[in-house]
Structure formats: structure tokens, C-alpha cells
Amino acid sequence: VETPENNPSFEEKLNFVDGKHFTMGSWQVVSLNLPRIAYEANGNDALLFEEARRLMDLSVEIFKIKLKWMELIRKRNRIPFATQRPIDPKTGLKGQPAIDFDELVSTIGLVGGNEMAQWHTGYQLHEHAEAVKILVKLILEMQKYKKELEARTGVKLSLARTPAESTAQRFAVADLLTDLYHDK
């Protein structure tokens, strides 16, 4: 996150001086179903962390495909809106491209932290410190593994709590259907 303290051109970006701007966004977001991870782990912390790492590995494979595809599109100038360089009305010079592709990341989204903790510990986050503890442990494990993945693959990653009410609903329905058909 850029702040005035860590970025000397913060004010220039804030005021679009010489076409400068903040870079926000991701190449791609892959959201992980944390309650499903807990369900699969069945109360076992080691399995919980192992499953999260496995899904993070799969996410990176998806990101690699997207990055390869986007590189081809960029080379062929097939995204003119994102690569446009608007003219600065004060100077008449072309500004920076609308999107700084070098600063984009690939985001692993986290959905259902409270429900994950509830399945894994029997408590929601507001009900017991153990629920908070397991969610924090999982996030710290994932953050540590994210750094390993970045070093190994060269893919810039971020972990983010995904504000995804519709995704959470889809995950819940998929889990329900999976369990119904799995038991038969």
C-alpha cells in the first residue's frame, strides 16, 4: 500500500502530476473457499495448512496462464484502453499509460474466514479466542508460503480478504451439492 511515508511521489500521483497515478488492481483474482479447506482438514491443523498451500499452488498455475495470455495480448496491442497514454491538458504531452502492468499483482482471495474457524474449532470469531487464533495461524502460514511461491515462480502475489458475497454463496451451494453427491 502506497503512503506518503513510503512513496516520495505520493502527492504527485494523488494530483495526477505529469500523468502519474496510483496502480491498483490485479491481473487475476482466484478466491479460495476457506470453509471447504477446514471441512477437508477435519480439525487437523497440519491438513488445514497443507490444503491451503495446495490450493495456492493451483492458483499460481492459473495466474501463469493468465500472465502468458495477457503478454500475448499486450504484444499485439489488443488492449488499447489500458495502454492509452492520455494527453496532459496542462502540458500537452502524453502521460503515463492508464495501467502500469509491471505493478499489477495476482491476488489469492480468501473467502469465509469466520466459517472456516467455526468448522475447525466449533466457534465463530466473536465467540472464542481459539477461532481467532486458527484464522490468524492460517493467514500467517499462507503469507509465509506466498513469499516462497513468489521466490520460486516469479509471480507477484497478494493475499486479500475477498468481499465476495456472491462467491461465498456459490461456494456454499457447491459444497452442499458436492456433499450430497459424495455421500451417495
Side-chain angles (χ1 to χ4, degrees):
V1 175
E2 295 183 63
T3 66
E5 292 77 27
N6 70 13
N7 186 334
S9 61
F10 183 88
E11 290 295 324
E12 293 171 339
K13 288 181 175 184
L14 186 64
N15 295 300
F16 300 100
V17 173
D18 295 327
K20 292 181 181 175
H21 56 83
F22 294 103
T23 299
M24 297 180 282
S26 300
W27 283 109
Q28 175 89 31
V29 177
V30 173
S31 295
L32 303 186
N33 183 346
L34 296 184
R36 174 53 96 179
I37 293 171
Y39 179 78
E40 295 293 335
N42 198 28
N44 183 316
D45 289 3
L47 290 177
L48 184 77
F49 304 145
E50 181 182 315
E51 181 65 5
R53 287 189 296 271
R54 185 184 74 78
L55 293 176
M56 290 173 74
D57 287 337
L58 288 174
S59 299
V60 169
E61 292 306 310
I62 292 167
F63 297 147
K64 286 180 186 176
I65 293 166
K66 177 67 172 260
L67 291 168
K68 184 177 179 181
W69 181 69
M70 289 304 296
E71 189 57 36
L72 290 171
I73 289 174
R74 287 174 60 199
K75 282 181 182 176
R76 291 181 173 91
N77 297 315
R78 294 297 188 193
I79 46 175
F81 182 80
T83 58
Q84 68 179 316
R85 295 182 60 201
I87 295 175
D88 186 309
K90 293 180 184 176
T91 66
L93 301 173
K94 284 188 174 184
Q96 295 181 347
I99 296 177
D100 183 352
F101 291 104
D102 294 331
E103 293 301 315
L104 294 179
V105 297
S106 298
T107 300
I108 297 173
L110 308 178
V111 176
N114 182 60
E115 292 75 15
M116 179 283 300
Q118 183 177 17
W119 183 269
H120 200 71
T121 67
Y123 301 103
Q124 292 187 45
L125 295 173
H126 69 278
E127 294 176 333
H128 201 280
E130 283 302 309
V132 174
K133 183 178 173 183
I134 193 61
L135 181 57
V136 169
K137 280 178 70 174
L138 178 62
I139 291 170
L140 290 174
E141 283 288 325
M142 293 176 80
Q143 190 69 23
K144 179 180 165 188
Y145 193 62
K146 174 191 85 83
K147 291 176 185 174
E148 291 177 30
L149 280 173
E150 287 177 320
R152 189 171 73 235
T153 66
V155 177
K156 286 196 302 189
L157 300 170
S158 70
L159 286 177
R161 178 178 50 101
T162 307
E165 291 81 6
S166 60
T167 302
Q169 180 181 359
R170 290 179 66 168
F171 282 165
V173 170
D175 287 345
L176 179 63
L177 292 175
T178 300
D179 288 342
L180 287 175
Y181 293 116
H182 185 66
D183 291 340
K184 290 186 176 189

